[in-house]
Amino acid sequence: MDKNKTLIPLDLQYFAEATMHSRDAIHGAQGIAWVTIEGNRYKFAQLINLEARSEKTKTKIPIMGQVAKGNKATGVEYSGSATFYFNTSIFRKMLKHYQDTGEDTYFDIQVTNEDGSSQVGRQTTILVDCNIDGGIVASLDADAEYLEDSFDFTFERFEMPEEFTILPEML
């Protein structure tokens, strides 16, 4: 070993990539949902789960000099589903109203995710002009510990008045 060379101790942790802390994963039950129907706002306390999706519609685009086609976004479609305890008639009343009058009901769903142990804060999403596809009209199950209700729905757009904070590890 050459006597003129000096080894510098390196802090290898300096080179390690920062990762997310487990506390920053959002707990699925930490949140709240509200439904607004014809000016009446209800806490969706029966909710078990809800998922709303945005799916882009795309057109295949042939490109000269290329064997693969490109994909161009040409629109978007919104849909969702909700599962909840079978202890509210609110949604069945909307189906009955449509049956009796032919008038459809549109409503909004506001969902807020907030887990106090996470440093990302809260996110609120409002699903605007929701319209249920159908639903359970009656239910009995002698083998069930409890009854569940559910419906699929579409919506016209969404708003996000509150967004999660960017995690420090992401910067």
Side-chain angles (χ1 to χ4, degrees), residues 38 94-106:
E38 296 179 335
M94 286 193 295
L95 294 171
K96 179 143 179 21
H97 179 75
Y98 181 69
Q99 168 194 277
D100 295 347
T101 67
E103 297 172 7
D104 214 348
T105 304
Y106 290 83

Side-chain angles (χ1 to χ4, degrees), residues 24-43:
D24 291 325
I26 301 299
H27 187 278
Q30 300 286 329
I32 190 167
W34 296 87
V35 178
T36 304
I37 305 168
E38 296 179 335
N40 296 310
R41 190 167 191 242
Y42 304 98
K43 186 176 186 180

Side-chain angles (χ1 to χ4, degrees), residues 123-135:
Q123 174 179 282
T124 297
T125 307
I126 302 170
L127 311 175
V128 179
D129 287 337
C130 299
N131 184 259
I132 61 175
D133 296 345

Side-chain angles (χ1 to χ4, degrees), residues 17-75:
E17 291 290 327
T19 59
M20 184 187 89
H21 298 281
S22 59
R23 69 177 174 262
D24 291 325
I26 301 299
H27 187 278
Q30 300 286 329
I32 190 167
W34 296 87
V35 178
T36 304
I37 305 168
E38 296 179 335
N40 296 310
R41 190 167 191 242
Y42 304 98
K43 186 176 186 180
F44 204 170
Q46 303 88 340
L47 187 65
I48 297 170
N49 62 56
L50 180 139
E51 181 178 81
R53 300 191 52 80
S54 171
E55 296 288 337
K56 291 194 300 186
T57 54
K58 295 184 179 184
T59 299
K60 300 278 185 201
I61 304 296
I63 301 171
M64 189 62 67
Q66 187 173 301
V67 293
K69 290 184 178 181
N71 296 285
K72 180 171 180 65
T74 56

